[in-house]
Amino acid sequence: MTTAPAGPWTTGRIAEVERPTDRLVRLRLEVADRVDHLPGQHYVVRLRAPDGYTAQRSYSVASDPVDPLLELMVECLPDGEVSSFLHDEARVGDVLELRGPIGGWFTWTGEVPAIGIAGGSGVVPLVAMLRYADRLGLADRLRVVAVGRTYADLPYAAELERRGAFLALTRENHHDRVAHPPYPDELAPLVDGVERAYVCGSVGFASFATRLLGEVGVLARTIRVEQFGATG
Amino acid sequence: MPVTRGFFGRRDRRERSHRLPPGQYDAGADWPVLTAEATPVIRPEDHTMTVDGLVERPTTWSWPELQALPGSSYAGDIHCVTTWSKLGTRFAGVSVDTLLEAAGPRPEAAYVMAHSTTGYTTNLPLADVTGGRAWVVWEHEGRPLPVEHGGPARLLVPHLYFWKSAKWVTRLELMARDRPGFWEQNGYHDRGDPWLEQRYQGDP
């Protein structure tokens, strides 16, 4: 798939800010000269110091393309220069430099039945896909497995569950499911008939999830991966 | 563009900034893994390297033949478009010049498409992989290159953003005309010079 060139830098004014946990910040922005995004795409946020120094990072979009505001859910990384600033400092009315939407690979618009497996803040692009799917009546074409340590830690946990995602919590029991990463027999029924798989999460999670998909028969060439974070 | 209220940057940024292209941060000892595809499983002994396309002698090296070529190493910095840079890191393998010398580029060859076992491709001007500026490497810091970083062998073009340094590289195809590779079709820049911030299509 070919996408248009990433647009020029623009600005976004923070219209809403919420800190659902001590590691997450949810920003909703009014974007100047906004270009419609596809579910799964990301934006670059650039911060600028008075002396001209800049720092920038990419964040996946959580909002449905028709949402008048652009929603980003940012996880605060240890020593994260941009994420820490957004978590600790950002407030309504602040203006941030933005560029996007970017990325033509990790996108889903309902063209094929798909499964998405995400760990932690990796759920963000899948939230955009689920919101889009629900609005267009395509919910039966997208199955989502969301993996988190605890319910409170997992971004959008309640919304994911309401939209039919399978939640696999690894550090606490959830309903009658005992804490554990997803098992192959939990995944197997969900991959029936899917033609594409999306994996999003940390490096360790992505490697776990691609291996798990392989175990239940998903072909490697149908898997699209978005990984973040560092290896030691 | 507006100054971000309350943002002053890291306290320690000035000391290391001269080695960091604009918009990059120092990843320190970390080496982030970024891949769009499932990581393949490749036994080194099955890995081959081919140079073909517009060359006089299309050539394929087996793994032992590749190792037997005159070795070459790189010690320096690498820069990823996702804004991390890794400073002072070491790779060893073979210079792309050595491979091209054996294959004999034809005069009309001006671009290279690097191909991986996964089907990943990335395009480069021939001038960016000659003159001692590009390698096929299989060692990092004296150890075999880990599979998540492209082992058994990857392309290394350290003066360009790292998506040009194709992981699991098996083939360099010489071409007369430029053609976009995988990320380049997906919105990334055709050349990718970090010092010019050539991140996306449409950048300078």
Side-chain angles (χ1 to χ4, degrees):
Chain A
M1 186 195 316
T2 302
T3 49
W9 287 96
T10 181
T11 55
R13 184 187 159 277
I14 300 177
E16 298 170 26
V17 57
E18 185 198 0
R19 294 172 175 85
T21 73
D22 60 5
R23 287 172 52 85
L24 292 172
V25 56
R26 186 171 75 111
L27 301 174
R28 291 183 41 86
L29 300 138
E30 289 162 4
V31 180
D33 306 315
R34 182 167 154 200
V35 174
D36 288 345
H37 66 268
L38 301 174
Q41 285 188 299
H42 64 270
Y43 264 70
V44 177
V45 174
R46 184 162 73 184
L47 308 180
R48 182 178 294 273
D51 65 354
Y53 169 80
T54 59
Q56 62 186 43
R57 297 291 184 279
S58 299
Y59 298 109
S60 290
V61 178
S63 41
D64 186 323
V66 300
D67 189 328
L69 297 178
L70 183 82
E71 181 171 321
L72 307 176
M73 177 75 89
V74 174
E75 183 179 16
C76 193
L77 300 173
D79 204 30
E81 187 175 19
V82 177
S83 61
S84 306
F85 172 83
L86 294 174
H87 188 271
D88 300 344
E89 281 289 331
R91 59 182 187 226
V92 169
D94 284 351
V95 175
L96 303 174
E97 291 179 52
L98 293 176
R99 191 176 188 193
I102 293 168
W105 173 247
F106 201 86
T107 60
W108 181 80
T109 49
E111 64 278 20
V112 290
I115 184 167
I117 306 185
S121 58
V123 300
V124 175
L126 299 185
V127 167
M129 294 179 193
L130 280 175
R131 289 173 171 180
Y132 171 92
D134 269 4
R135 175 171 57 87
L136 293 176
L138 299 169
D140 59 333
R141 292 171 76 81
L142 180 67
R143 295 155 198 175
V144 169
V145 176
V147 185
R149 281 183 294 254
T150 66
Y151 194 85
D153 271 351
L154 182 67
Y156 299 104
E159 178 175 348
L160 285 162
E161 201 161 33
R162 193 173 69 245
R163 294 189 190 276
F166 177 75
L167 264 50
L169 303 180
T170 60
R171 303 274 174 85
E172 72 183 14
N173 298 345
H174 183 57
H175 303 310
D176 55 356
R177 186 181 185 279
V178 174
H180 200 279
Y183 291 99
D185 67 347
E186 291 175 316
L187 201 60
L190 302 177
V191 302
D192 189 33
V194 303
E195 293 170 34
R196 193 179 295 159
Y198 295 88
V199 170
C200 187
S202 66
V203 172
F205 177 82
S207 119
F208 162 77
T210 53
R211 209 167 50 239
L212 185 65
L213 284 167
E215 279 178 43
V216 297
V218 174
L219 299 176
R221 65 179 160 75
T222 67
I223 302 175
R224 299 186 177 193
V225 182
E226 189 152 280
Q227 304 181 103
F228 48 81
T231 54
Chain B
M1 291 300 249
V3 165
T4 313
R5 182 197 59 77
F7 179 68
F8 301 98
R10 287 182 195 279
R11 266 190 305 255
D12 59 352
R13 64 183 159 91
R14 288 180 193 284
E15 294 82 71
R16 46 191 181 185
S17 62
H18 68 285
R19 283 174 73 180
L20 288 176
Q24 298 292 112
Y25 72 97
D26 180 358
D30 290 337
W31 187 4
V33 174
L34 289 155
T35 310
E37 310 149 300
T39 298
V41 179
I42 308 160
R43 298 191 308 169
E45 56 269 35
D46 296 336
H47 193 82
T48 61
M49 184 67 215
T50 296
V51 176
D52 63 5
L54 293 173
V55 295
E56 301 296 345
R57 300 170 294 279
T59 307
T60 296
W61 291 265
S62 68
W63 185 247
E65 286 167 345
L66 202 58
Q67 316 282 307
L69 292 171
S72 177
S73 62
Y74 169 77
D77 307 339
I78 57 177
H79 312 289
C80 177
V81 70
T82 61
T83 73
W84 58 263
S85 290
K86 188 169 175 59
L87 306 181
T89 191
R90 292 174 170 275
F91 294 89
V94 61
S95 168
V96 169
D97 291 316
T98 304
L99 304 178
L100 291 175
E101 195 181 327
R106 302 218 318 239
E108 63 270 32
Y111 295 91
V112 173
M113 185 71 85
H115 297 261
S116 289
T117 50
T118 58
Y120 177 87
T121 53
T122 188
N123 53 310
L124 301 123
L126 187 57
D128 273 315
V129 299
T130 51
R133 297 205 291 168
W135 291 260
V136 170
V137 295
W138 47 82
E139 266 185 36
H140 177 247
E141 303 295 355
R143 294 205 168 124
L145 186 66
V147 65
E148 67 270 23
H149 291 300
R154 76 179 297 161
L155 189 62
L156 175 71
V157 191
H159 69 285
L160 299 179
Y161 282 127
F162 222 45
W163 88 82
K164 296 288 180 182
S165 294
K167 294 178 178 182
W168 315 301
V169 71
T170 55
R171 180 179 168 217
L172 297 178
E173 176 195 5
L174 274 63
M175 313 182 291
R177 301 172 65 160
D178 201 10
R179 194 168 91 219
F182 174 83
W183 283 125
E184 294 80 6
Q185 289 172 42
N186 282 289
Y188 282 73
H189 199 273
D190 277 312
R191 179 142 186 273
D193 183 334
W195 296 95
L196 301 175
E197 279 211 88
Q198 293 171 333
R199 297 177 190 273
Y200 308 112
Q201 295 284 346
D203 284 347

